[in-house]
Amino acid sequence: MRVGFIGAGKVGFTLGKYFCQHQVEVTGYYSHSIQSAGEAAGFTATNIYADAGDLLAESDVLFFTVPDDAIVSCYEALRQEAGGIQGKIFCHASGAMTAEAAFPGIEAAGAFGYSVHPLFAISDKLHAYSELTDVFFTLEGSVARRSLMLEWLRGTGLNVQLIEAGCKARYHAAAAIVSNQVVALFEEGQRMLEECGFAPETAGRALRPIFLGNARHVAERGPVQALTGPVQRGDTGTLAKHLDALNDSDDRLLYILLSRRLLRIAGEKNPGYDDTSIKAFLEEEYRKCIEAAAAEGCRAGRKEEAK
C-alpha cells in the first residue's frame, strides 16, 4: 500500500522513516508549512505535496499526523475533493481519540478510518524511528478492513494490539499514568531532596540510579516482583514518619492513596501477608486527610461569604 502523510511533525517524521526502511512505499508529505513538508520529504527521500488532494489521489493510506484538534477539519477538507475518498484508508495517531470521532461518516463515504497509536513518547523526530520495533501500537477502527490493517502493520515488524473504541480513554489514561504522571512523582521527590539541602541538579542526579533501576526492574520482572519498601514490609512506623514529613495535605493524600495501591500489590507478592495493621493505619490516615480537606473547604467558604 502507498502511504502518505498529512502533517510533518515528530510522528510523521518517525512513522514515515520507519515505513521507508521496512519496504513500504511512502508517497510523501503535505503540510500547511511547505518548509516542514520539505524537511520530512528530504528525511525520508519522498515527495513534497503542495496540494493535499494530489497526495490523496496518489496514496492508498493517509496518516493524519497533525495535532488532535486539527484532525477532523483536515479530514473534512479532504472529503470535499473532487475525486472523493472512496476506497481510501485514513489513520490518525491520537491516543485518546477514536477513529469514529476523528473521521465522522467515513464509512458512509466508502472509506475506512483507524487509530494507529504508538505506546511511546516520540521526543526526537530524527532518531525515534529506530526504536519502534520494541514499541507496541494499538489499532482501533473500521471493522471492514481491520484484519487487513492488522496484517499489514505487523508485516512491517510492528507489535500491534487491537482495542475497541470504548477502551480508548482507559488505554490512554494507562499510558499517561505510566508516562506523564511518573514525571510528577519524580519532581516531587526531587523537590523534597532540595528541601534537605541538595542543589537542584544534584538532587536529580542523586535520584537517577534508583529511578532508572526501579523502572528497569518493573519492566523486566513486573510490578509485583519489583515491589520493595515499607508497605511491603508492613512498616507502619516508617510510613508514619513519611507522612509527618509531608506538610502539604495534597502530598499526604497522594502518598496514602499510592500506599493503599501498593498494599494490594504486596498481597499478591506475599499471599500470606498480614496487612491488618498497615491497612487500618492507612485507612485512619486517609480519614484524617478527608476531614482536614473538608474543614479547609468550610473555612474557605466562610471567607468567601464574608467578602
Side-chain angles (χ1 to χ4, degrees):
M1 292 192 285
R2 298 169 301 168
V3 178
F5 288 87
I6 303 288
K10 290 183 292 187
V11 178
F13 263 69
T14 300
L15 290 179
K17 187 70 169 182
Y18 179 88
F19 286 148
C20 285
Q21 293 198 331
H22 290 79
Q23 289 71 57
V24 174
E25 183 182 352
V26 176
T27 50
Y29 292 81
Y30 167 82
S31 173
H32 288 308
S33 167
I34 195 69
Q35 181 180 352
S36 296
E39 290 175 1
F43 183 62
T44 55
T46 60
N47 299 311
I48 308 170
Y49 288 82
D51 185 278
D54 293 339
L55 177 60
L56 173 67
E58 296 182 13
S59 305
D60 303 304
V61 180
L62 272 186
F63 273 82
F64 289 70
T65 51
V66 296
D68 287 11
D69 58 5
I71 295 173
V72 176
S73 59
C74 289
Y75 158 71
E76 294 289 3
L78 280 180
R79 284 191 67 174
Q80 309 307 316
E81 288 294 322
I85 62 172
Q86 189 167 4
K88 302 292 184 179
I89 295 173
F90 288 175
C91 303
H92 70 78
S94 167
M97 186 181 290
T98 64
E100 183 179 12
F103 309 122
I106 192 168
E107 292 180 29
F112 312 91
Y114 298 93
S115 162
V116 181
H117 180 256
L119 197 53
F120 178 64
I122 297 175
S123 57
D124 182 349
K125 69 180 182 181
L126 300 180
H127 301 96
Y129 68 90
S130 63
E131 302 177 76
L132 292 189
T133 51
D134 296 324
V135 172
F136 261 85
F137 282 68
T138 53
L139 174 66
E140 173 272 321
S142 302
V143 174
R145 298 273 179 96
R146 194 166 60 184
S147 295
L148 171 67
M149 285 294 294
L150 182 64
E151 181 181 357
W152 174 67
L153 288 167
R154 286 177 173 171
T156 69
L158 295 176
N159 299 300
V160 186
Q161 172 69 44
L162 282 175
I163 64 171
E164 298 300 325
C167 294
K168 284 284 290 194
R170 180 176 290 271
Y171 155 77
H172 196 245
I177 288 169
V178 172
S179 179
N180 310 139
Q181 295 194 358
V182 169
V183 173
L185 293 177
F186 189 93
E187 189 276 338
E188 173 72 1
Q190 181 171 309
R191 182 186 59 78
M192 292 173 71
L193 284 191
E194 290 172 24
E195 292 174 353
C196 295
F198 283 71
E201 62 277 7
T202 306
R205 192 166 73 250
L207 288 172
R208 195 176 303 146
I210 191 172
F211 179 77
L212 295 177
N214 192 58
R216 185 173 63 254
H217 293 156
V218 171
E220 292 175 353
R221 300 164 58 195
V224 174
Q225 293 306 314
L227 179 63
T228 61
V231 172
Q232 188 213 206
R233 299 192 302 268
D235 186 353
T236 55
T238 296
L239 292 180
K241 290 177 183 178
H242 290 174
L243 288 171
D244 286 342
L246 298 173
N247 299 320
D248 186 86
S249 58
D250 286 345
D251 290 344
R252 289 172 61 85
L253 182 57
L254 178 63
Y255 187 94
I256 292 166
L257 292 173
L258 290 174
S259 295
R260 290 171 71 177
R261 179 56 58 93
L262 290 178
L263 193 59
R264 288 168 44 182
I265 299 173
E268 292 182 46
K269 185 173 184 178
N270 306 301
Y273 178 66
D274 182 3
D275 65 357
T276 306
S277 61
I278 194 168
K279 188 174 183 179
F281 170 79
L282 289 172
E283 287 179 352
E284 175 63 14
E285 292 300 320
Y286 176 74
R287 182 190 63 78
K288 290 178 183 177
C289 273
I290 296 301
E291 289 179 353
E296 182 64 28
C298 288
R299 284 193 293 271
R302 287 195 291 271
K303 288 181 181 178
E304 190 64 29
E305 289 176 4
K307 292 179 182 179

